[in-house]
Amino acid sequence: MANTAQARKRARQAVKQNAHNSSQRSTLRTAIKAVRKAILAGDKAAASAVFQASVSTIDRIADKKIIHKNKAARHKSRLAAALKALSA
């Protein structure tokens, strides 16, 4: 248990920040799943539109340092490759 006022405040802030970051990670996972679902449906135009929205979400979350920029790049790359394979 935190003994000082400063430590108690930092503990409160950590709980709030953890909840916010968890929410952002959930948004990221939902965006990735939406693209995968659109690709599985086979409609390239719809999948491409969902992909563009998801890239924006992924970049925004990486900019806030909730995930590492390389992880964001990896997700975007794999989704783009899956989208490209849909047309081939």
Side-chain angles (χ1 to χ4, degrees):
M1 184 63 199
N3 289 325
T4 64
Q6 176 185 4
R8 284 191 293 273
K9 181 176 179 180
R10 290 303 300 166
R12 284 194 310 271
Q13 288 175 331
V15 169
K16 263 178 92 169
Q17 195 62 43
N18 183 270
H20 181 261
N21 289 346
S22 296
S23 171
Q24 294 292 303
R25 275 191 299 273
S26 177
T27 303
L28 170 77
R29 292 185 193 111
T30 302
I32 291 168
K33 286 176 191 173
V35 177
R36 294 219 179 272
K37 186 176 178 183
I39 290 171
L40 283 175
D43 183 8
K44 185 171 168 67
S48 185
V50 173
F51 173 72
Q52 289 300 321
S54 294
V55 164
S56 174
T57 301
I58 293 168
D59 285 337
R60 188 171 61 249
I61 290 170
D63 286 343
K64 293 177 182 175
K65 298 188 176 157
I66 293 169
I67 61 167
H68 196 273
K69 61 184 174 128
N70 290 357
K71 182 175 182 172
R74 183 173 63 243
H75 280 301
K76 291 189 297 184
S77 175
R78 288 179 181 169
L79 291 173
L83 188 61
K84 186 176 179 183
L86 182 63
S87 61

